[in-house]
Amino acid sequence: MHFWTKVLIAGLSLCPWHLAPAIGDDVKQVSVAGMQFAYVEAGQGDPVVLVHGGLQDYRFWNAHLPVFAKNHRVISYSRQNHFPNATSRGGLPDAAADVHGEDLAAILAGLGIRQAHIVAHSAGAHAALFFASNHPEMVKTLIVNEPPATGLLAGAPGGAEILNGWNVRFASTREAFRNGEIDAGLRLFAEAVGGPGTYDRRSESDRKMMSDNALSSVADVITTRPRPVFTCDMAKRISVPTLVTNGERSPEFFQRIVEELERCLPQRTRVKIADSSHTVPGEAPHAYDEAVLAFIASH
């Protein structure tokens, strides 16, 4: 799909939402193919595009923008069906990584960006893998933190057992969301990913962001849409330099996926961040930023 000829830009404008801006920048919106996506940007130079994970939005990267913006044009946007974009339980599921990847390609085209450094976390990293595999010409470097790319576990030694254990671990989370018990679902989600006490350790603003994006996760558990499968063969098509990060204390599920990415990606560097679990950019921001910026600078 050639986004430079297909995407119709409805224009960029300041957004009226009353949100906490990042380093003084106004929240803007880009209209692409009939949908609107909120974003903030700062700095000048080679573009760096930040892609958030599940139960998050553009605000997840607020603390990172001033660091990256010292030498780059940095853009952080909210994925489809995430705050402050239109959201609904019948909207696009958070796990629809293939569609989110195509959205990323369309957004870059809409912003006039032909090639960018892509920095992505969790479900956003899963989307970034699809994007990079299908649109390699738009990627300068790729940085992904612990994507839930379960397709990589298929055929891997012990992969079926790891995936089954992960599904069991999340069973109560899915049940809570399915029953409309949002607060319980948010707590269970955080602790399934990060361990006991994770939700209580989150700041009030982080818990508010999770609540603002709950409907995307509800959509995940009620959808009949098949989950997209990212494979090793797809990873082998990503020829750009790729940094794969993961937390020292992350669950085995993510550790094994990262190991498979390390095996399948042609040009990859792996960095394990100390004293962190799955949400590496939030738990160890200084170490994460240092690793990301060093990788970008070397390419």
Side-chain angles (χ1 to χ4, degrees), residues 193-270:
V193 171
T198 297
Y199 185 79
D200 289 329
R201 289 193 297 270
R202 297 272 173 94
S203 67
E204 183 178 349
S205 60
D206 283 343
R207 292 197 294 268
K208 174 66 163 57
M209 181 170 61
M210 293 175 67
S211 179
D212 287 340
N213 291 287
L215 291 183
S216 182
S217 291
V218 172
D220 264 339
V221 303
I222 66 174
T223 186
T224 58
R225 184 184 192 277
R227 287 180 177 259
V229 177
F230 185 84
T231 66
C232 185
D233 285 342
M234 295 171 72
K236 289 176 180 177
R237 298 205 302 262
I238 301 175
S239 58
V240 300
T242 303
L243 174 65
V244 183
T245 63
N246 69 291
E248 181 182 42
R249 296 182 281 100
S250 292
E252 184 182 13
F253 170 80
F254 289 113
Q255 301 284 1
R256 287 298 307 277
I257 288 174
V258 167
E259 289 172 5
E260 289 303 304
L261 277 175
E262 189 177 20
R263 181 178 69 84
C264 297
L265 289 164
Q267 293 194 65
R268 77 277 182 252
T269 300
R270 180 180 177 184

Side-chain angles (χ1 to χ4, degrees), residues 129-212:
L129 288 172
F130 277 92
F131 163 74
S133 184
N134 293 326
H135 304 279
E137 75 286 352
M138 301 182 80
V139 187
K140 191 163 188 178
T141 63
L142 177 66
I143 296 96
V144 291
N145 182 70
E146 298 196 358
T150 57
L152 292 170
L153 295 178
E161 291 78 8
I162 291 171
L163 185 56
N164 182 65
W166 188 250
N167 287 334
V168 170
R169 186 170 179 163
F170 262 88
S172 58
T173 304
R174 290 193 297 270
E175 187 65 17
F177 281 141
R178 188 176 292 111
N179 292 334
E181 300 167 356
I182 301 300
D183 289 344
L186 295 176
R187 177 179 291 276
L188 290 166
F189 182 99
E191 301 197 350
V193 171
T198 297
Y199 185 79
D200 289 329
R201 289 193 297 270
R202 297 272 173 94
S203 67
E204 183 178 349
S205 60
D206 283 343
R207 292 197 294 268
K208 174 66 163 57
M209 181 170 61
M210 293 175 67
S211 179
D212 287 340

Side-chain angles (χ1 to χ4, degrees), residues 53-130:
L55 294 174
Q56 297 165 355
D57 52 57
Y58 81 92
R59 295 171 294 182
F60 175 72
W61 300 104
N62 274 3
H64 302 265
L65 257 72
V67 180
F68 293 145
K70 291 178 181 178
N71 295 299
H72 300 89
R73 177 190 178 191
V74 189
I75 294 165
S76 173
Y77 75 97
S78 290
R79 293 188 286 118
Q80 188 180 159
N81 207 23
H82 288 76
F83 179 91
N85 305 326
T87 61
S88 74
R89 58 187 284 123
L92 187 69
D94 179 63
D98 51 348
V99 178
H100 289 296
E102 292 304 302
D103 284 348
L104 175 54
I107 289 166
L108 292 187
L111 294 174
I113 298 173
R114 293 186 176 274
Q115 191 176 59
H117 302 280
I118 306 298
V119 180
H121 166 61
S122 194
H126 197 190
L129 288 172
F130 277 92

Side-chain angles (χ1 to χ4, degrees), residues 46-59:
D46 283 347
V48 174
V49 178
L50 309 175
V51 191
H52 64 81
L55 294 174
Q56 297 165 355
D57 52 57
Y58 81 92
R59 295 171 294 182

